[in-house]
Amino acid sequence: MISRYKIEEIDKIWSDDNKFKTWFKVELAVLFAREKLGGIPVGTEKSLQGIEILAERIKEIEKKTRHDVVSFITAVEEKGGDSTRFFHQGLTSSDIVDTSFALQVKECSSIIKKELKNILEILKEKALECKGIPIIGRTHGIHGEPTSLGLKFLSWYSEMKRASKRFNRASKETGYGKISGAMGNFAHLDPEVEELALKKLNLKPEPISTQVVPRDRYAEYIFAIVTIGSTIEHIANEIRHLQRTEIRELEEPFKKGQKGSSAMPHKRNPIICERLSGMSRLLRSYLITAIENIILWNERDISHSSTERIFFPDAITLTVYMLKKIAFVIKDINIYKDNIEKNIWLTNGLVFSQRVLITLLDKGVKREEAYNIVQENAMEVWQKGGNFKEKIENDKRAKKYINKEELENLFDPKSYLKNEEKIFKRVLS
């Protein structure tokens, strides 16, 4: 990941130093299990625990061996003495690499879960804060009917909550390791070794593996991450729309000293939300590779690992970065209530057309006739201007059924929020 978007705690997890230390941790867990089952001398694990794993030395050896795991084993043998004859015995590289990968992903998942919890709390708080504020709803980019700003935030909260649940399920599916040997058939180690070693590492044994843990687990994980990114983009995209100059109902934070343009000092651009939209596109591209990694030759090849080294750390980094940024945007978002109210009336009352239609139907007017009354007046306002309420008030056909007091009530934006509290209870219960 480029330094501009790097997350230090994620970067540390995927660093070479941590990777090799995690490999060593897995190897020691296997020795622990073998020792407990009486397969190797007591004290073998303890004799190797203090070895310092140096990434620089492993990389130096790899220049010759061109194999990272062999180089790692060699580096351990240089310092481990006689006990190293039991080190990596009966194992294959993927026993260590895949099990370590699961541990690294698990560590990253805890960070993502923390950020998900934070954004959910912020969205919920903002939804409650904005409850009861009418705002124009739009479909196809066109004014529809008033809704609630609180419901807009509540909808984002609900979507993010589903994304969070989806991620929690997927992260559980990556909590599997394998210590089953070169073909996954335990030819050189008893399955009990795997069970004991993975229990020590707080992982579950892969029920049946080849030389690797099946990659459908990680495809599902990346899909869950992608839906988090898409939810973030959904929110960011709406803020971008509502920040447009002619709308300006919402606006991402613009802090003191911030500059919007090198040429135009007046600019306040939605740069964070635009960045999040772009990052979501990048996240989605990783899903294709994750799905293609499911299909490996025979018991395995390395086409999956060559890509996972790149996109997995990047995908997780992007996800954490995006969650932090959208939390910042929502927490300090600018809300322009005057513009929100102004935009409700921008079409001179046309957005209340359905309430007029329903009232005519309730009064016994046939649907075709009622629709024509409302639409004819609405189209005239669209094309020639004027006030929709006044048009209905002066229409002889409508006046038969709707009096002035009823008409006034039909054009109340807050009437659209009569069931808002029920929706909040349904979502937050």
Side-chain angles (χ1 to χ4, degrees):
M1 176 56 63
I2 62 171
S3 59
R4 185 180 181 89
Y5 305 130
K6 197 172 281 186
I7 303 292
E8 190 175 339
E9 55 188 335
I10 300 296
D11 199 43
K12 186 178 178 182
I13 293 169
W14 296 104
S15 68
D16 284 338
D17 278 337
N18 187 61
K19 178 180 72 174
F20 294 134
K21 284 174 183 174
T22 309
W23 287 6
F24 192 58
K25 183 179 178 181
V26 174
E27 292 275 11
L28 289 179
V30 174
L31 292 175
F32 164 83
R34 293 182 67 198
E35 210 174 295
K36 195 165 186 179
L37 294 170
I40 58 175
V42 174
T44 301
E45 181 209 3
K46 189 174 181 180
S47 70
L48 297 175
Q49 280 178 359
I51 291 176
E52 187 179 8
I53 305 299
L54 298 175
E56 293 79 10
R57 178 54 184 151
I58 295 168
K59 289 178 181 179
E60 186 182 338
I61 298 168
E62 191 179 355
K63 289 176 183 176
K64 180 180 179 181
T65 64
R66 301 180 71 181
H67 194 294
D68 52 358
V69 177
V70 170
S71 303
F72 161 72
I73 295 166
T74 303
V76 172
E77 284 178 331
E78 287 178 346
K79 296 184 176 184
D82 185 58
S83 293
T84 57
R85 63 196 174 96
F86 301 110
F87 193 82
H88 202 74
Q89 189 181 46
L91 303 180
T92 189
S93 297
S94 292
D95 288 327
I96 304 309
V97 173
D98 271 18
T99 303
S100 296
F101 191 69
L103 290 171
Q104 288 171 287
V105 171
K106 189 174 185 179
E107 200 173 346
C108 290
S109 295
S110 67
I111 296 169
I112 293 175
K113 287 174 185 177
K114 181 185 73 176
E115 296 300 334
L116 282 166
K117 183 180 179 183
N118 182 49
I119 184 59
L120 283 169
E121 288 173 357
I122 290 170
L123 284 167
K124 180 181 177 181
E125 184 180 328
K126 194 63 68 174
L128 290 167
E129 179 187 316
C130 295
K131 188 162 66 169
I133 300 175
I135 188 172
I136 192 63
R138 298 169 175 89
T139 57
H140 307 276
I142 307 299
H143 285 205
E145 290 183 338
T147 183
S148 151
L149 182 57
L151 289 179
K152 191 180 285 285
F153 283 107
L154 187 68
S155 175
W156 295 341
Y157 166 83
S158 185
E159 185 175 339
M160 188 64 79
K161 192 172 183 181
R162 290 193 299 277
S164 180
K165 287 181 178 179
R166 195 178 296 116
F167 177 77
N168 288 337
R169 289 195 300 268
S171 62
K172 286 179 182 177
E173 289 300 313
T174 62
Y176 287 79
K178 56 109 27 190
I179 310 291
S180 52
M183 294 299 114
N185 57 3
F186 299 99
H188 307 288
L189 284 176
D190 192 277
E192 203 172 349
V193 171
E194 180 184 66
E195 290 169 16
L196 283 173
L198 294 181
K199 185 178 181 181
K200 186 175 177 62
L201 296 168
N202 290 315
L203 294 174
K204 297 176 184 176
E206 180 61 51
I208 178 169
S209 63
T210 56
Q211 194 173 94
V212 293
V213 170
R215 254 45 199 176
D216 60 288
R217 293 190 182 280
Y218 293 109
E220 184 180 358
Y221 186 87
I222 294 297
F223 174 76
I225 274 180
V226 165
T227 61
I228 292 170
S230 295
T231 295
I232 292 171
E233 185 183 8
H234 183 194
I235 297 168
N237 196 50
E238 180 70 359
I239 294 169
R240 288 170 65 192
H241 277 303
L242 300 185
Q243 185 168 332
R244 292 167 63 176
T245 309
E246 62 272 23
I247 297 173
R248 205 162 182 246
E249 294 173 350
L250 301 180
E251 181 188 56
E252 70 174 49
F254 193 88
K255 297 298 184 180
K256 187 176 180 180
Q258 186 174 333
K259 303 291 188 287
S261 166
S262 63
M264 297 168 283
H266 72 279
K267 293 299 289 295
R268 292 165 69 101
N269 302 325
I271 56 168
I272 298 175
C273 289
E274 289 174 346
R275 190 185 311 156
L276 294 175
S277 291
M279 287 177 164
S280 182
R281 295 174 196 167
L282 187 58
L283 268 184
R284 287 194 289 274
S285 73
Y286 295 147
L287 180 58
I288 299 298
T289 308
I291 290 171
E292 289 180 343
N293 280 350
I294 296 171
I295 305 102
L296 303 177
W297 283 21
N298 307 124
E299 274 57 55
R300 83 134 179 170
D301 55 54
I302 61 165
S303 59
H304 66 294
S305 61
S306 58
T307 60
E308 285 173 352
R309 289 169 192 254
I310 301 167
F311 81 79
F312 233 91
D314 279 9
I316 290 170
T317 299
L318 279 177
T319 303
V320 174
Y321 180 93
M322 292 172 73
L323 283 166
K324 286 179 180 290
K325 283 297 179 183
I326 198 63
F328 165 75
V329 168
I330 297 297
K331 188 169 186 178
D332 292 337
I333 197 165
N334 294 316
I335 298 171
Y336 296 102
K337 292 183 181 179
D338 288 346
N339 286 339
I340 287 172
E341 186 175 358
K342 181 187 75 175
N343 287 334
I344 289 174
W345 298 101
L346 190 66
T347 58
N348 297 316
L350 286 178
V351 296
F352 300 92
S353 67
Q354 185 175 191
R355 282 178 65 79
V356 177
L357 173 64
I358 289 172
T359 301
L360 289 172
L361 294 172
D362 286 343
K363 294 292 182 77
V365 183
K366 290 184 179 179
R367 182 171 181 84
E368 187 66 22
E369 182 186 353
Y371 197 97
N372 286 338
I373 292 170
V374 176
Q375 190 182 43
E376 285 170 18
N377 284 287
M379 291 304 108
E380 190 172 343
V381 173
W382 270 120
Q383 292 160 10
K384 298 179 182 179
N387 186 283
F388 181 62
K389 185 169 74 170
E390 290 176 4
K391 295 284 184 188
I392 295 295
E393 190 176 2
N394 295 322
D395 188 296
K396 292 179 181 178
R397 297 166 296 177
K399 284 173 77 171
K400 293 180 190 176
Y401 305 99
I402 305 174
N403 62 43
K404 196 167 185 178
E405 186 182 347
E406 286 176 319
L407 194 61
E408 202 65 39
N409 290 330
L410 292 179
F411 284 75
D412 177 12
K414 290 223 169 194
S415 64
Y416 289 85
L417 310 187
K418 64 181 182 181
N419 288 309
E420 182 188 37
E421 186 61 40
K422 291 179 181 177
I423 299 171
F424 264 84
K425 283 182 179 178
R426 192 159 64 179
V427 173
L428 300 181
S429 64

